[in-house]
Amino acid sequence: MAIKSFAKIHKRAAERKGGEEALARLVSRAPDPSELKMLGDDRILAAMAKCIFRSGFVWRIIDHKWPGFEAAFLEFQPGPLCFQPDEFWHDLASDTRIVRHAQKIRAVHANALFVQDIAAEHGSFGAFLAAWPQEDQVGLMAFLSKRGSRLGGATGQYLLRMVGWDAFVLSRDVVAAIRDAGIDVADMPTSKGDLAKIQAQFNIWRKQSGLSGVQMSRILALSIGENYDQTVSQEAD
């Protein structure tokens, strides 16, 4: 089975959403690596924490409580957090300003150390991310999973998207569109083989379309599945 060109996927998405102009309004601009490079380490750590606490939980509750998270975790400054005694982390497990999940609280501590280590090597964590090649998102995901805490799978993908790295997100609709295009991967692709296939195809589509990973991911999601009214917020990709 021949793999569909991205032009065909793009055309189908436009037809579903009312034309090219309508589709363009639903697709974000390409991320700017210079903005990522300037992002503070505290904002990187905050994004890690938000993605971790959102995982398996109702996002709006985490978002509503977020000012409390910022206060409880010292504005996510890696240096001060790394020097907090065990009692600080123990007490957070009963702190009503946050969602009290002991394992996720410990992950913030581990990731503060992770961010600090990478920043020491590269000047900042944002600079490290900005320098990572766009053609190897899968390699970056593996690095985050190995060196960070609870940053594997979808959490790592949403983290990259949140901080402004040009990431695709393998949501249900994106994977369905990838499979519909002729790429033989599982419904929930997590194996190294499946991820390598997806990365290779995104690299091909990037050259074909001139679009960013974020833009291709969004268009894939909009090209298939339930055709939601986009005036209503949807987690399409």
Side-chain angles (χ1 to χ4, degrees):
M1 179 179 176
I3 305 299
K4 289 181 183 177
S5 70
F6 201 79
K8 290 183 178 180
I9 297 169
H10 189 283
K11 180 180 179 182
R12 184 172 66 188
E15 289 172 349
R16 282 164 52 88
K17 296 304 170 186
E20 292 289 346
E21 291 185 5
L23 177 62
R25 289 194 293 270
L26 299 173
V27 177
S28 304
R29 68 176 178 86
D32 184 347
S34 66
E35 294 177 4
L36 174 56
K37 191 173 182 179
M38 297 298 293
L39 195 62
D41 292 333
D42 61 315
R43 294 305 90 200
I44 299 282
L45 182 58
M48 289 179 176
K50 181 171 281 191
C51 289
I52 288 168
F53 276 92
R54 277 179 168 182
S55 180
F57 207 75
V58 180
W59 287 21
R60 66 177 178 275
I61 293 177
I62 301 300
D63 294 344
H64 177 73
K65 294 177 72 72
W66 197 250
F69 277 85
E70 290 278 352
F73 286 103
L74 310 181
E75 309 300 328
F76 292 100
Q77 295 289 338
L81 284 174
C82 288
F83 284 101
Q84 293 305 308
D86 290 343
E87 291 79 6
F88 172 85
W89 301 99
H90 179 270
D91 291 346
L92 282 175
S94 58
D95 193 326
T96 57
R97 293 175 294 177
I98 67 173
V99 172
R100 290 159 286 174
H101 189 297
Q103 290 81 8
K104 293 183 178 184
I105 290 168
R106 286 197 291 270
V108 176
H109 187 195
N111 286 328
L113 295 167
F114 173 41
V115 168
Q116 187 167 255
D117 287 347
I118 296 299
E121 295 174 25
H122 298 272
S124 71
F125 204 97
F128 161 75
L129 290 176
W132 195 283
Q134 298 295 328
E135 297 77 17
D136 187 28
Q137 176 177 332
V138 168
L140 180 52
M141 288 161 50
F143 180 84
L144 291 172
S145 180
K146 181 178 180 180
R147 290 285 301 272
S149 178
R150 303 179 76 98
L151 297 178
T155 302
Q157 294 168 42
Y158 281 113
L159 166 66
L160 293 175
R161 178 71 64 81
M162 183 180 290
V163 300
W165 200 85
D166 187 21
F168 54 79
V169 172
L170 297 178
S171 68
R172 180 187 59 191
D173 285 346
V174 170
V175 174
I178 287 169
R179 285 164 54 86
D180 180 76
I183 300 128
D184 182 19
V185 296
D187 289 339
M188 298 180 65
T190 56
S191 70
K192 289 183 178 179
D194 279 355
L195 292 175
K197 290 179 187 178
I198 291 169
Q199 181 71 75
Q201 192 58 47
F202 264 93
N203 292 345
I204 291 169
W205 282 337
R206 186 186 293 269
K207 291 179 180 178
Q208 287 179 353
S209 67
L211 297 171
S212 71
V214 169
Q215 292 168 328
M216 288 187 290
S217 181
R218 180 67 167 154
I219 291 168
L220 283 162
L222 294 171
S223 75
I224 203 166
E226 187 71 28
N227 198 6
Y228 293 106
D229 178 357
Q230 293 301 313
T231 61
V232 179
S233 176
Q234 297 291 339
E235 293 293 338
D237 68 336

